[in-house]
Amino acid sequence: MNHQQSSALFTKAKQVIPGGVNSPVRAFKSVGCDPIFIARAAGSKIFDADGNSYIDYVGSWGPMILGHCHPKVVEAIQQTAATGASFGAPTARETQLAEMVCEAYPNIEMVRMVSSGTEATMSAIRLARGYTGRDKILKFDGCYHGHADSLLVKAGSGLATFGVPTSPGVPADFAKHTLTATYNDLDDAKAMVAANPGEIACVILEPIAGNMGCVAPRAGFLEGLRQLCDAEGIVLVIDEVMTGFRVAYGGAQERFGVRGDLVCLGKIIGGGLPVGAFGGKREIMECLSPEGGVYQAGTLSGNPLAMSAGIATLELLKQDGFYDLIEEKSAYLCKGLQEAAAAAKVPTSLQRVGGMFCTYFQAEEVFNFEDVKPETPATFSRFFRTMLDEGINLAPSQYEAGFMSAAHSQEDLDRTIDAASKAFKNL
Ligand code: KE4
């Protein structure tokens, strides 16, 4: 494939943007090649600056579950843009999307819109601290909740990709309030809580860990955390920025039946535009300014364009059978990938929940961050490069999940499986 235009654009970008990207994982640093610059997208495809087309399993890291440029979403954005892009004042659309979120998540009695998942989790933690009067938080190694200072401790996604699980620039005085435990290890979490009695404001976790690949909760893990938080007066914050409206209309909480006191959302609820949200119990949410003292604000929070894109998206996701379709496509693809790996005698652990999945290049199943073997990412990187050359766009890191959309056709899935057969053989 010719990447001349992307290469020229990358050189230019690096002059004025750190690393040439506005989010580190896009730089392809861990997969040993330069990034492709995207010119446009449609349905299941993205097209780079050189005109190459790719079947897209990144989907903007989750939001594009309908596929790119769904006509109803494009129309909603265009119509709203014609009436004003932003007012910095309340609009009916914000209430409409808030009501849709509350309807989808029965434990969300009130919700506030923000402009990113990071803002959602950062605000939820401040709210939990304000509500409980406690300072410490407990997160899990390999989970990523955005780049707020207190969350850049043993985090996943780009930090894991670059091997800097705890970021420089986070003062030790901040990091000391962030406790970590091993994902899927309830005893470890219990021990951490017991060692810090009455000091932990919240436990925050991804109900399906999509920032160390794709790791489902072990039976009893979520239930145990719920009981632990109830017993200790700890706020359970379930970060569904990635899983919300992804693995079910009601997210992982619908699938697994364990509900948080606070919930963070993002990605899909913006339909590709910048939206995050955090919500939950009324008594907690009413601690937020201007009702309560916990301050949180945002110039573009509830932006009309983003609200319209989110509303149009959720209206389509609510339709009967949508998630059955995603399940069917995802199961077919992953079965084909497993068969291709087996035929090439490549050890893999393919892990999937609904329309999010990950192929670990190791035989051993992954239940937590430490389970990913040191040599695995390098093997993944070789696979990634061959798939890219074959016109398949995967997330550029072993520590990321892949995402299915309703726009992926049978031909797309079969082409992907064929490309993988070749890539497994070329490892
Ligand atoms: P944003 O601030 O990137 O909108 O959301 C942060 C966030 C919070 N919680 C979870 C569970 C998330 O997965 C994310 C962001 N996900 C990454 C992908 N692993 C975003 C991609 C990137 O950082 O460029």
Side-chain angles (χ1 to χ4, degrees), residues 23 30 58 73 130 176 237 244 346 348:
S23 198
S30 76
V58 178
V73 178
K176 73 183 180 188
V237 180
V346 174
T348 60

Side-chain angles (χ1 to χ4, degrees), residues 60-264:
S60 183
W61 302 94
M64 310 319 291
I65 192 168
L66 290 170
H68 294 282
C69 297
H70 190 289
K72 287 192 181 301
V73 178
V74 172
E75 183 188 12
I77 296 169
Q78 286 173 332
Q79 286 183 348
T80 303
T83 64
S86 182
F87 313 115
T91 64
R93 286 192 184 90
E94 294 160 80
T95 307
Q96 186 180 353
L97 185 57
E99 287 173 341
M100 293 178 88
V101 166
C102 292
E103 182 195 25
Y105 295 80
N107 51 319
I108 297 182
E109 296 175 309
M110 300 190 95
V111 61
R112 176 157 287 174
M113 301 295 166
V114 292
S115 298
S116 71
T118 293
E119 271 195 273
T121 58
M122 172 181 76
S123 306
I125 284 170
R126 182 180 314 131
L127 180 55
R129 284 172 162 157
Y131 174 70
T132 60
R134 301 174 182 179
D135 290 342
K136 292 182 179 175
I137 66 172
L138 174 60
K139 72 178 288 293
F140 293 88
D141 298 354
C143 283
Y144 177 72
H145 304 287
H147 64 91
D149 280 345
S150 43
L151 290 166
L152 292 181
V153 178
K154 295 187 185 178
S157 186
L159 291 105
T161 300
F162 303 126
V164 280
T166 299
S167 171
V170 177
D173 272 356
F174 283 23
K176 73 183 180 188
H177 296 297
T178 302
L179 310 170
T180 63
T182 300
Y183 194 78
N184 267 325
D185 186 336
L186 187 56
D187 290 341
D188 199 22
K190 286 179 176 175
M192 201 48 82
V193 169
N196 297 273
E199 296 182 73
I200 298 174
C202 68
V203 170
I204 182 168
L205 82 157
E206 296 176 57
I208 300 160
N211 288 288
M212 53 175 118
C214 183
V215 179
R218 272 196 160 114
F221 180 59
L222 298 178
E223 296 79 357
L225 287 177
R226 178 67 274 174
Q227 287 159 18
L228 181 63
C229 288
D230 288 342
E232 300 290 334
I234 295 171
V235 174
L236 180 60
V237 180
I238 295 191
D239 178 355
E240 291 227 53
V241 166
M242 184 185 285
T243 56
F245 298 100
R246 163 58 57 185
V247 297
Y249 191 70
Q253 293 173 92
E254 177 184 312
R255 276 187 95 104
F256 297 112
V258 175
R259 298 193 174 277
D261 303 305
L262 290 178
V263 181
C264 301

Side-chain angles (χ1 to χ4, degrees), residues 48-62:
D48 69 15
D50 294 280
N52 303 307
S53 77
Y54 305 83
I55 300 170
D56 182 24
Y57 291 99
V58 178
S60 183
W61 302 94

Side-chain angles (χ1 to χ4, degrees), residues 45 55 57 332 408-418:
K45 307 285 187 309
I55 300 170
Y57 291 99
Y332 179 87
H408 282 77
S409 66
Q410 188 62 44
E411 185 195 353
D412 290 335
L413 303 182
D414 289 330
R415 258 190 61 203
T416 305
I417 294 165
D418 290 346

